[in-house]
């Protein structure tokens, strides 16, 4: 039995507004056994329980990236490069990606489309303790039309019978969620554009019905307003991108926009805007003013009770696995309160993934998925870049490059990952006993 206490200036259990000053978390056998004020937790613990203090730091739930593609190489010119690697190469690369996610404090990811169900192999290897990484949920090959978006991942299906068969094949392969590519995407060379429909209303409904039969939720890649509506009607659980797109941008009539936002809020579906470092790059190129329509749509959704969740689309060209915080900071730039952004990264994200009873919060009985960061992220999300220790289902992971001090902003290739494990660890961290 492994038991340890971690304490810090602040413990954030997860829900906005909740905070424990001078708090502590007691972890036993991978599960949170106790939390509260430091003195109380220490008094309730067995005498001699190892206790590590983190002055000036905050303990909060591990971050959740609800939208990644572990098998894609973010450095590749085209996502199609994934089709050329063999399974062994891909799995090794995916293990590296999982490690990078864990380094930046991401303890749960949902892989929304990869080649075959290699992500399922990785999921099982991490769960068994063979590899460091976040908990993985996987969609396997995303379902698309012949020649449609991500066709090269192996999930082509046309018409209702083939769609049903594709869903069943994925379920047989052991996926956790079904991913539907309802619209096209610029990521697939020569494929339909983002505002073009790929799947009909009936095909979406058939896929959702088939997934439901096996108790699995559906995530839908939707950019156009009509695709969003059709997915909600069918009972999709999470709307990916959800950018209200048209050929000219997110410019549907304000009245139609308001009505659609109300429909999303009433449906209970979750929305992942898939914001990442690319938002910052686009803003630098075209000016933040041009980003306003997208930011407005998100802020309006937040204000109208739509459950927004954080996800980066990491793995797609130009979106590295280690820049989670860059996407989250755009929630705040859109006018969403910082604590609400943190909920989108933890509590609400876990709920969206059906993991509310396992992770996303710090509470007795939940898995010990937590991070220690230098500073208070309620004041500035940037401190999330200085992750000192990660616990993933209770397993301790010291991030590569930790202890280097908070970084003002992310760099594409640089600080994270350059340092061997253990280097620079502990600077500024008081250690009473090893965690
Ligand atoms: Zn994606």
């Amino acid at each position: 039995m492994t038991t340890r206490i971690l304490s810090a200036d602040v413990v954030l259990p997860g829900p906005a507004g909740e905070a424990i000053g001078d708090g502590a978390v007691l972890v036993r056998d991978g599960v949170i056994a106790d939390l509260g004020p430091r003195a109380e937790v220490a008094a309730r613990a067995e005498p001699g329980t190892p206790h590590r203090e983190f002055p000036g730091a905050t303990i909060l739930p591990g971050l959740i990236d609800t939208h990644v593609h572990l098998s894609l190489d973010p450095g590749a010119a085209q996502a199609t490069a994934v089709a050329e690697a063999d399974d062994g190469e891909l799995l090794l690369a995916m293990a590296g990606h999982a490690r990078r996610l864990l380094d930046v404090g991401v303890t749960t990811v949902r892989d929304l489309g990869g080649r075959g169900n290699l992500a399922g192999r990785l999921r099982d290897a991490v769960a068994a303790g063979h590899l460091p990484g976040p908990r993985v949920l996987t969609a396997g090959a995303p379902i698309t039309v012949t020649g449609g978006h991500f066709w090269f991942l192996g999930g082509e299906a046309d018409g209702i019978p083939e769609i049903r068969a594709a869903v069943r094949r994925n379920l047989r392969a052991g996926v956790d969620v079904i991913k539907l590519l309802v619209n096209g995407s610029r990521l697939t060379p020569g494929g339909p554009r983002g505002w073009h429909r790929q799947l009909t209303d009936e095909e979406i409904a058939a896929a959702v019905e088939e997934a439901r039969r096996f108790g699995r939720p559906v995530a839908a890649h939707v950019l156009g307003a009509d695709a969003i509506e059709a997915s909600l009607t069918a009972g999709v659980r999470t709307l990916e991108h959800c950018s209200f797109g048209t050929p000219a941008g997110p410019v549907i009539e304000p009245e139609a926009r308001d009505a659609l936002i109300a429909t999303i809020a009433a449906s209970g579906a979750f929305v992942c805007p898939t914001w990442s470092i690319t938002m910052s790059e686009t803003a630098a190129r075209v000016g933040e003013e041009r980003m306003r329509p997208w930011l407005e749509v998100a802020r309006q959704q937040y204000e109208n009770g739509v459950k927004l969740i954080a996800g980066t689309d990491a793995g797609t060209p130009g979106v590295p696995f280690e820049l989670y915080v860059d996407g989250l900071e755009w929630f705040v730039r859109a006018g969403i309160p910082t604590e609400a952004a943190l909920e989108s990264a933890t509590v609400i994200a876990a709920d969206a993934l059906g993991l509310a009873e396992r992770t996303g919060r710090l509470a007795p009985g939940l898995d010990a998925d937590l991070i220690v960061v230098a500073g208070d992220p309620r004041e500035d999300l940037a401190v999330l870049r200085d992750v000192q220790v990660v616990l993933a289902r209770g397993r301790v992971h010291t991030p590569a490059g930790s202890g280097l001090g908070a970084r003002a902003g992310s760099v594409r290739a640089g600080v994270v990952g350059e340092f061997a494990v253990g280097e620079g660890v502990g600077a500024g961290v008081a250690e009473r006993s090893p965690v």
Side-chain angles (χ1 to χ4, degrees), residues 183-271:
N183 285 118
S185 166
R186 64 181 169 77
L187 289 182
T188 296
R193 302 285 86 181
W195 56 88
H196 287 154
R197 273 293 278 281
Q198 297 196 144
L199 303 180
T200 65
D201 293 12
E202 295 74 20
E203 287 169 334
I204 302 167
V208 173
E209 184 187 82
E210 209 55 56
R212 251 196 207 135
R213 214 194 297 279
F214 293 82
R216 293 285 186 272
V218 173
H221 163 104
V222 286
L223 291 97
D226 63 311
I228 295 169
E229 272 186 18
S231 298
L232 290 175
T233 304
V236 158
R237 185 171 175 90
T238 65
L239 300 167
E240 308 303 318
H241 317 298
C242 197
S243 50
F244 296 54
T246 69
V251 292
I252 60 171
E253 292 297 317
E255 271 178 33
R257 185 175 86 170
D258 294 351
L260 186 49
I261 288 174
T263 307
I264 299 171
S267 75
F270 298 81
V271 168

Side-chain angles (χ1 to χ4, degrees), residues 27-48:
V27 175
R28 183 179 296 128
D29 291 340
V31 173
I32 296 168
D34 194 8
L35 82 161
R38 181 195 315 241
E40 293 177 21
V41 172
R44 288 193 291 259
E46 288 284 307

Side-chain angles (χ1 to χ4, degrees), residues 134-156:
R135 172 190 294 99
V136 177
L137 299 186
T138 172
I143 294 168
T144 188
V145 296
T146 297
H149 176 36
F150 275 155
W151 66 268
F152 46 86
L153 295 176
E156 290 173 309

